[in-house]
Amino acid sequence: MTPKIGRVFSGIRPTGHSHLGNYLGAIKNYVALQDEYECVYCIVDLHALTTVEDTLDLRQNTYEMALDLLAAGIRPEETILFVQSHVPQVTELHTILSMVTPLGKLTDLPTFKEKARQQPHNINYGLVGYPVLMAADIVLYKSDVVPVGVDQAPHIEFTREVVRSFNYRYNANVLIEPQMKNTETPKVLGIDGKEKMSKSLANQIEIAATPEATRQRVMMMVTDPQRVKRTDPGNPDICNVFSLHKIITPAGDVAMINIECRRAGIGCVDCKKLFAGNLNKALEPFRAKRGELAAKPAHVHAVLEDGAARARAIAEKTMVEVREAVQLP
Ligand code: TYM
């Protein structure tokens, strides 16, 4: 095996099935980075608790997320895949990092304000501390690179600040400032063509759905809003379906759509049918592998247990240094 050039960490919330935004914005990079980096990927069940009040599905969703990640190409023989709550050191580090975090910085974050708007009845303390727990996730593993979508940028910047504050306050050089890594599609829009694809906005296309369900979601996608009639020429530059064609569809067809849409040679319905077909084809190997894995739940649970044991070993090593730096008795 070629020597690895650093460590990667990322986390994903088990709030339901993964969608195209998760896949194109983050998971694709989780998979690609395995070739060069030692990778640690975490299903962040504790973070999910900040928004999920009814936890009946939490275990099942955590398991489903493990299926998604393994089916997408995470290789558990080399990569560590684990569940956040299985490594309790992260909550200890979260507490310690909270001491070098000004409260105003957390309540000023756009991500906090957005969540507070979305769930005004449940602005809990965990929601405020969400980025501190995320920083703890990242620095516990001394991660160099964090693959995420652009919505997480404020949290990565926050993590870098916390690292500097910790190292300065305790006169230590223990924690590492991570770098953010985006894909070529750091913000995938939902089927509404306006907002970021996300489960909370119900505008997602789930990657593990059936081909028919996928087709139905694609046919609901909003295209160029100026193009009202089939005979109107369209503008692919402002069409979300076209932006996804560019990622999923073979180059020849992309060039054809680019020309034909502008002169009303192809209509939005045909364009979306083409996209649905290509998307289903692109997701076929993932779905087949997911089906195979779903038939082996004991294997999937064993992967997560093994991942947690390997993660705990790294986490405890960091915590020995952190406790020493803070001079905890
Ligand atoms: P989460 O679970 O919301 O999303 C998981 C990953 O998917 C990316 N993503 C998107 N990318 C592009 N377009 C979209 N529409 C889109 N929707 C989601 C997210 O940017 C993310 O990379 N706070 C994190 C979880 C987390 C974490 C961490 C991430 C906890 N600890 C440590 C990195 C490092 C979150 O809620 O992701």
Side-chain angles (χ1 to χ4, degrees), residues 300-313:
V300 176
H301 286 295
V303 162
L304 294 177
E305 261 173 51
D306 173 63
R310 286 152 69 200
R312 276 193 297 267

Side-chain angles (χ1 to χ4, degrees), residues 165-183:
S165 302
F166 176 94
N167 286 344
Y168 180 76
R169 163 90 60 97
Y170 300 111
N171 196 20
N173 212 358
V174 172
L175 305 182
I176 296 176
E177 277 187 54
Q179 303 290 333
M180 174 166 88
K181 171 105 181 150
N182 291 143
T183 63

Side-chain angles (χ1 to χ4, degrees), residues 223-234 261 264-268:
T223 54
D224 168 7
Q226 311 287 334
R227 191 175 185 194
V228 183
K229 294 196 295 280
R230 166 69 180 81
T231 48
D232 292 340
C261 172
I266 181 174
C268 294

Side-chain angles (χ1 to χ4, degrees), residues 312-326:
R312 276 193 297 267
I314 304 173
E316 187 47 32
K317 227 166 131 199
T318 304
M319 285 315 295
V320 167
E321 292 176 46
V322 166
R323 293 180 202 120
E324 181 62 29
V326 178

Side-chain angles (χ1 to χ4, degrees), residues 9-15 19-27 30 44 47 65 84 130 133-135 137-138 146-152 155-156 185-190 195-198:
F9 180 94
S10 201
I12 190 161
R13 284 174 304 145
T15 48
H19 53 69
L20 211 50
N22 299 133
Y23 181 71
L24 296 176
I27 298 173
Y30 297 179
V44 292
H47 274 112
M65 185 54 76
Q84 188 180 35
Y130 185 111
L133 183 57
M134 184 163 154
D137 277 332
I138 296 168
V146 185
V148 282
V150 79
D151 60 321
Q152 297 299 313
H155 292 163
I156 306 299
T185 46
K187 181 178 178 181
V188 176
L189 299 183
E195 306 282 347
K196 176 189 89 166
M197 185 177 287
S198 93

